[in-house]
Amino acid sequence: MTNLSNDDRLSNFSRFVYVHPIYKEALEVVKKAISQTGGTDEYMSALLTGLTGTGKTTIIKTLMRSYAVNSDSVEREDSIIKQVPAYHCVVPADASIRSLAIEMLKHLDSADTDGSAAVLSKRVSRLIKTCETKVIFLDEFQHLLTKGARNSKGSVTDWVKTLTEETGVPVILSGMPDCEEIIDQDPQLSGRYPYRPKLTNIHYAKNNNLYLSKVIEALINGCKEHANINSMPQLSQPPLLTAIYIATGGNMRSIRHMFTNALDNALTNERDDIILEDFIEAVQGMRLNFRLTDENPFKLSDSEQEKILIKAS
């Protein structure tokens, strides 16, 4: 038994992050890019790419925590300035360069948002220096490059080049895989982004399932340690492991959503044990990205699971 409320147990589990090898490697590469750009005269930043739900934003949030400061204002000889050592700016859908510059100014605590895109961008560069910003994360960068955005791809890449040149601050770009091709169309900008960590869905085969198995074992332990769950089904081996892959396509966000829903099912039914039916119900009631079949994979036979794996390979 536990004195924690169901909401607290769900919240505790949601904060648990398993640093699997693909995630860890990408995290270390971004750290290296920040360190090298900040510690040398060479601009060597990172472009972090991956499909939705593979962990890009989680990496950014993890790094943001390392830049926390005790006070966000610092007294100088003649003024008090807002200190913003790092900030995470999510590019809005169908954004323009001007609207993104306005969003960045808000992160830098500036209400002065009048002017053209060029004027606002100059203001951003100036405030980055004033606020002693060490790193900028531009997340969902593909929104500046999509067909619906009010920019040409050339103007976007020119804007990023100018921002990096004027500030010298590492601007970490994060987005969908097709961002890389567009960045590479501009040799000067491409050269500024030599680090290209990539996050992918977890691959799976019945005779090669160790990676996914470790991820599931970690999430099981996370449920037990952070949500005070006593026991769970043996999910880290086939056929249940195969069912998890078919339900999620190996996408980390989808896997977590499934676990959270199963945990919620158990807690709603006043149980400290998660049973297989909780996962069956979780998958039945969710539309998970990268799902390989509309059927409930936990109800399929081994041969039916195999057919789906072959079709998806």
Side-chain angles (χ1 to χ4, degrees):
M1 294 293 292
T2 176
N3 293 325
L4 294 175
S5 69
N6 288 353
D7 286 346
D8 286 339
R9 295 167 79 175
L10 285 165
S11 178
N12 287 348
F13 177 69
S14 73
R15 290 194 293 270
F16 165 69
V17 176
Y18 171 57
V19 184
H20 59 83
I22 296 175
Y23 177 98
K24 183 177 181 180
E25 181 179 352
L27 179 64
E28 293 304 319
V29 169
V30 176
K31 283 182 178 179
K32 185 175 184 179
I34 294 170
S35 174
Q36 289 190 347
T37 299
T40 69
D41 292 330
E42 297 291 331
Y43 194 94
M44 296 181 287
S45 198
L47 170 63
L48 175 64
T49 58
L51 295 170
T52 182
T54 50
K56 300 185 298 297
T57 300
T58 302
I59 282 179
I60 292 172
K61 288 180 178 179
T62 298
L63 290 168
M64 283 291 294
R65 285 195 290 271
S66 67
Y67 287 92
V69 292
N70 294 327
S71 173
D72 64 356
S73 61
V74 177
E75 290 189 30
R76 292 289 184 257
E77 188 173 325
D78 57 352
S79 63
I80 297 176
I81 66 167
K82 180 179 176 66
Q83 191 178 36
V84 185
Y87 67 83
H88 173 202
C89 184
V90 180
V91 179
D94 198 24
S96 65
I97 292 174
R98 184 177 184 277
S99 67
L100 177 58
I102 290 172
E103 188 68 21
M104 294 175 75
L105 285 169
K106 291 177 183 177
H107 282 275
L108 294 166
D109 204 31
S110 173
D112 188 1
T113 56
D114 293 330
S116 66
V119 169
L120 293 173
S121 296
K122 284 284 186 182
R123 198 170 297 151
V124 167
S125 295
R126 185 173 66 252
L127 281 173
I128 285 170
K129 295 176 182 178
T130 302
C131 296
E132 301 180 352
T133 302
K134 305 300 182 187
V135 60
I136 301 164
F137 298 98
L138 291 184
D139 203 359
E140 303 292 355
F141 189 67
Q142 73 277 355
H143 288 161
L144 268 181
L145 303 168
T146 54
K147 185 177 180 180
R150 296 184 296 278
N151 329 278
S152 70
K153 293 179 177 62
S155 66
V156 172
T157 54
D158 286 344
W159 177 80
V160 175
K161 278 191 297 185
T162 301
L163 182 65
T164 60
E165 286 169 356
E166 291 185 350
T167 66
V169 170
V171 179
I172 307 299
L173 304 179
S174 172
M176 299 294 279
D178 55 359
C179 289
E180 184 169 24
E181 181 181 350
I182 296 168
I183 294 295
D184 284 341
Q185 290 174 9
D186 186 316
Q188 287 186 336
L189 184 60
S190 178
R192 291 172 180 268
Y193 285 84
Y195 292 111
R196 307 290 180 90
K198 296 176 175 63
L199 293 170
T200 63
N201 289 337
I202 299 167
H203 298 293
Y204 176 80
K206 280 192 173 180
N207 59 354
N208 184 21
N209 59 36
L210 182 61
Y211 195 112
L212 181 60
S213 179
K214 286 186 175 181
V215 170
I216 300 307
E217 285 177 358
L219 290 173
I220 289 172
N221 289 332
C223 284
K224 292 177 178 178
E225 293 176 14
H226 299 278
N228 298 101
I229 290 298
N230 292 331
S231 67
M232 295 182 65
Q234 178 53 266
L235 299 166
S236 60
Q237 296 297 325
L240 297 185
L241 184 63
T242 308
I244 289 174
Y245 179 75
I246 292 173
T248 64
N251 182 262
M252 198 65 194
R253 179 187 294 161
S254 293
I255 293 171
R256 288 196 64 103
H257 283 176
M258 182 185 62
F259 265 75
T260 299
N261 199 358
L263 172 60
D264 186 49
N265 289 339
L267 298 179
T268 299
N269 287 287
E270 300 181 347
R271 282 187 276 104
D272 292 330
D273 301 281
I274 298 178
I275 59 177
L276 181 57
E277 283 70 19
D278 293 322
F279 281 91
I280 293 173
E281 184 179 339
V283 171
Q284 195 71 33
M286 300 182 77
R287 175 66 178 93
L288 296 168
N289 287 339
F290 306 101
R291 186 168 174 164
L292 302 183
T293 179
D294 290 332
E295 298 180 78
N296 194 316
F298 289 99
K299 294 182 176 181
L300 298 177
S301 66
D302 287 3
S303 61
E304 289 171 326
Q305 289 184 344
E306 187 65 29
K307 288 178 182 177
I308 292 171
L309 290 178
I310 292 172
K311 185 177 179 180
S313 63

